[in-house]
Amino acid sequence: MRTTKTLLPALAAAVALAGCATTEGPGERPDIPVTGVHWTVDSLTVDGRRTASPAPTAYVEFQPGGRSAGNAGCNSFTAAATVDGDTVTVGRSTRTQMACDGPVQGFENAFLKAFTGRLEARLDDDRLTLTTPDGDTIALTEQPAAPLAGTTWHVDSLLEGKTATSLPAGTEGRAHLTVADDGTARGNLGCNNFTATVKTGSGKLTFGPLAVTRKMCTKPQMELEQHLYGTLSSGTVTFRIQHRALTVTAQDGSGFAARATAR
């Protein structure tokens, strides 16, 4: 009878907890909090083989209203996406048609194939794992928005009006820009480093004369350098930040897009 006395308080507590349980209806589950977060794609595991994302630009955002948007490594994409408890259901995606390097293109294709249909979602602190019915997984990490100042922005595409083009072959990962709080800017134009003063305000940047090093460059590097130099030295340019993406546009419509370095 000693055992019975020991169990009675535990049973009473269990009954009390049951009476105070969630008011959700049968089968209802609280949605995992993934909406409104910028999720950087870390890796993709298919058939037991893990591949780290070859592009720091790959990300996913789940938006209110049942949509998702992001970048698959090279091209931007959108798709319908709903969250039901710990299940995320993603519709067929549409994406831009920029040309990509081989490894990036391969990762992009595999990622978009996995990021479709019913996915089981597991959230561990700032890390999200999406698992397909076949057991393939997408690993993502939450990243905060990037401020203009103090962030290193790596140029990942060029702009001509409303058209975005890839960087010249062999120049990827070189060009970057950092705006400091003290009113200076520094970076790399594709081959040569530069420094300049810069004034910021109301979505606009005004660069002073660029001081540029004088290294010899290959033709693709010079093409990139001339484009970026033309934008930054054209007078007042406009800029726009969307979470961790920066767009800089000159008055003639030319410019560039850049992505914040992961922190």
Side-chain angles (χ1 to χ4, degrees), residues 3-183:
T3 303
T4 303
K5 290 181 179 180
T6 304
L7 288 174
L8 284 176
L11 289 171
V15 172
L17 287 173
C20 298
T22 177
T23 57
E24 297 165 8
E28 293 182 357
R29 301 167 297 168
D31 294 341
I32 59 173
V34 298
T35 302
V37 177
H38 183 95
W39 298 103
T40 295
V41 180
D42 296 327
S43 64
L44 176 66
T45 301
V46 177
D47 295 332
R49 181 180 178 183
R50 179 183 179 277
T51 303
S53 174
T57 56
Y59 74 95
V60 175
E61 290 179 354
F62 297 98
Q63 303 169 342
R67 301 293 298 173
S68 67
N71 185 287
C74 175
N75 285 285
S76 298
F77 71 89
T78 60
T82 58
V83 181
D84 180 15
D86 59 0
T87 299
V88 177
T89 303
V90 182
R92 184 176 180 180
S93 62
T94 59
R95 56 174 156 171
T96 56
Q97 298 297 323
M98 290 177 57
C100 314
D101 288 339
V104 175
Q105 185 69 70
F107 183 88
E108 180 169 293
N109 292 340
F111 165 78
L112 290 176
K113 182 178 179 180
F115 189 67
T116 306
R118 291 175 60 85
L119 305 172
E120 178 186 341
R122 188 180 76 247
L123 189 63
D124 297 308
D125 295 327
D126 63 346
R127 296 183 181 277
L128 173 67
T129 303
L130 301 176
T131 304
T132 71
D134 293 333
D136 299 334
T137 60
I138 303 170
L140 310 99
T141 301
E142 178 181 356
Q143 280 196 333
L148 173 67
T151 299
T152 299
W153 299 97
H154 284 273
V155 177
D156 56 18
S157 62
L158 303 180
L159 305 176
E160 291 291 350
K162 296 183 178 180
T163 303
T165 60
S166 302
L167 301 181
T171 66
E172 298 83 355
R174 292 178 177 271
H176 60 270
L177 166 70
T178 303
V179 176
D181 289 320
D182 63 359

Side-chain angles (χ1 to χ4, degrees), residues 214-233:
R214 299 297 181 185
K215 286 178 19 179
M216 296 294 292
C217 309
T218 64
K219 183 178 179 180
Q221 291 172 342
M222 282 304 301
E223 291 176 355
L224 174 59
E225 189 153 300
Q226 289 170 358
H227 184 103
L228 298 179
Y229 184 89
T231 297
L232 298 181
S233 62

Side-chain angles (χ1 to χ4, degrees), residues 148 153 157-159 177 205 207 227-228 231-232 234 236-241 245-250 253-258:
L148 173 67
W153 299 97
S157 62
L158 303 180
L159 305 176
L177 166 70
L205 299 171
F207 290 86
H227 184 103
L228 298 179
T231 297
L232 298 181
S234 65
T236 299
V237 298
T238 60
F239 77 92
R240 182 184 181 190
I241 295 177
L246 170 70
T247 303
V248 177
T249 309
S254 65
F256 62 88

